[in-house]
Amino acid sequence: MIVDCAIYHHGRRTEGPEDLSDALDLARAEGDAFIWIGLYEPTEQEFDLVTEEFRLHPLAVEDALKAHQRPKLEMFDDSLFVVLKPVAYEAESDVVTTGEVMVFIGDAFVVTVRHGECSPLAQVRRRLEEDPEMLRHGPTAVLYSIADATVDHYLEVATELQTDLEKLEAEVFSPSGGGSRHTASKIYTFKRQILEFRRATGPLTVPLTRLSGSGTAGARVPFVDEKAQPFFRDVNDHLARVNESVESLDRLVSDILSAHLAQMSVRQNDDMRKISAWAAMAAVPTMIAGIYGMNFDHMPELHWLWSYPAVILAMAALEFLLYHLFKRRGWL
């Protein structure tokens, strides 16, 4: 469905004809104007009119309709196609969710297609409409603002993940929480969320590098103003910080998981030592009682008056010695 459609002239929103073809012709005729159409999860039939009027490439249209794309930048004869993956983090459930924003820019037009609930488009449009000086730079300003808002939110998500990871780390190494059988599952789930975050941030480096003019031989990207390259470099720098944070988080989670497994192994060894110590202490009186329970006629001290108290006393003394021996060695 079409969420919003407007013509911007000299950076200000103006009313235009409802027909897309007439609106595009009007924007091109005015020179310093462009049309911006925003769509939310459009169907093929809904997108057909936009595809026809703006001559969008069928491969890019297919990607925009099906979604589930990696962040990328593709150049066609009549348009530039950019895919971004906004991210949201629900701290209460520790779940990272991603959406998708596809941006088509060309001669005097911008088409944005949104999939999922994670999207900065509404805020970007509102902020740009409040800043005509920025918006008068045309489709390039829209693309930059969307990329900048997406990456800035990456930084916020990375900070929230870092905070929750510190809490998880404190829980793992606490005297009581580290031994929970659900701890390993929580760590692994957290690692999966970081992986989902990385799928959004990692592939975006190449498109931003090309937009910033730092790609192969500094090749210019069509439909993007060269004067915007320093701004895209700034966004790319922020993205590099995000990727460094993601790498750091991933390594730290792996270290925490390894430490937790080692901690569990040590605790199991302690339990086995305690069980072995108690078993050894139980074996001594069992052995003595077994010997004197064989009912042979000729056994030492069998008819001695103090045999029974002496055997009981010997059992108690051996148990006492074994207990203190194991206790001193840390087995009990």
Side-chain angles (χ1 to χ4, degrees):
M1 58 178 294
I2 296 180
V3 178
D4 199 351
C5 177
I7 295 178
Y8 296 89
H9 182 63
H10 293 296
R12 298 188 181 278
R13 183 169 182 145
T14 61
E15 296 298 330
E18 296 182 359
D19 184 81
L20 292 182
S21 180
D22 294 341
L24 183 59
D25 292 340
L26 177 62
R28 287 173 175 171
E30 292 179 351
D32 191 11
F34 70 96
I35 181 173
W36 182 358
I37 300 176
L39 301 101
Y40 174 70
E41 297 183 356
T43 64
E44 186 174 352
Q45 292 74 20
E46 292 172 336
F47 207 50
D48 281 344
L49 179 60
V50 177
T51 302
E52 180 181 353
E53 294 297 338
F54 298 109
R55 298 180 181 179
L56 304 180
H57 197 278
L59 292 178
V61 171
E62 181 181 358
D63 290 344
L65 291 173
K66 293 184 177 180
H68 303 294
Q69 304 296 316
R70 288 165 55 90
K72 61 181 179 179
L73 181 151
E74 294 182 350
M75 294 176 287
F76 302 102
D77 293 336
D78 297 316
S79 64
L80 181 72
F81 179 58
V82 181
V83 178
L84 303 168
K85 292 183 75 69
V87 169
Y89 180 59
E90 299 176 9
E92 296 182 359
S93 57
D94 296 337
V95 174
V96 172
T97 56
T98 59
E100 289 186 41
V101 173
M102 285 80 167
V103 184
F104 296 86
I105 67 172
D107 182 15
F109 73 85
V110 178
V111 177
T112 54
V113 181
R114 175 169 64 94
H115 291 269
E117 299 302 323
C118 308
S119 173
L121 291 180
Q123 296 88 336
V124 168
R125 188 186 285 263
R126 183 168 58 251
R127 186 167 63 248
L128 283 174
E129 289 180 351
E130 295 173 355
D131 186 4
E133 286 300 317
M134 180 69 173
L135 193 56
R136 69 182 302 170
H137 292 285
T140 299
V142 176
L143 178 60
Y144 161 73
S145 298
I146 294 173
D148 185 54
T150 300
V151 173
D152 282 348
H153 193 60
Y154 286 166
L155 291 169
E156 298 175 8
V157 172
T159 301
E160 293 176 357
L161 285 170
Q162 180 67 44
T163 301
D164 284 357
L165 183 58
E166 291 174 357
K167 295 178 182 178
L168 181 60
E169 184 180 17
E171 178 183 342
V172 168
F173 292 103
S174 66
S176 57
S180 172
R181 59 185 176 181
H182 301 296
T183 302
S185 176
K186 291 176 64 176
I187 298 173
Y188 183 75
T189 300
F190 199 90
K191 189 174 180 66
R192 292 285 301 176
Q193 303 312 311
I194 293 176
L195 177 61
E196 185 70 18
F197 190 26
R198 175 186 282 177
R199 287 173 179 167
T201 63
L204 186 57
T205 300
V206 174
L208 285 179
T209 299
R210 295 174 66 184
L211 289 168
S212 64
S214 304
T216 306
R220 178 180 177 275
V221 177
F223 307 108
V224 175
D225 191 343
E226 290 186 3
K227 295 180 181 179
Q229 290 181 350
F231 296 93
F232 283 110
R233 278 197 292 271
D234 180 67
V235 177
N236 201 19
D237 289 341
H238 291 174
L239 180 64
R241 288 172 50 195
V242 172
N243 285 327
E244 290 173 0
S245 298
V246 173
E247 290 292 336
S248 176
L249 288 170
D250 187 58
R251 287 196 300 270
L252 186 55
V253 170
S254 297
D255 291 342
I256 291 174
L257 181 59
S258 298
H260 172 68
L261 295 177
Q263 193 178 44
M264 294 298 295
S265 179
V266 169
R267 291 185 179 182
Q268 289 176 353
N269 289 337
D270 289 341
D271 293 340
M272 289 302 298
R273 284 191 298 180
K274 290 180 180 180
I275 293 172
S276 299
W278 285 111
M281 291 174 61
V284 171
T286 302
M287 180 188 67
I288 296 175
I291 292 174
Y292 278 90
M294 290 188 291
N295 297 322
F296 293 126
D297 288 335
H298 303 287
M299 293 184 66
E301 295 87 23
L302 188 61
H303 301 289
W304 185 38
L305 179 62
W306 299 101
S307 295
Y308 182 76
V311 170
I312 297 298
L313 182 62
M315 289 181 182
L318 289 171
E319 292 293 296
F320 180 79
L321 291 174
L322 287 173
Y323 178 81
H324 279 275
L325 176 63
F326 292 138
K327 190 74 173 178
R328 187 173 59 184
R329 295 190 176 183
W331 285 38
L332 291 176

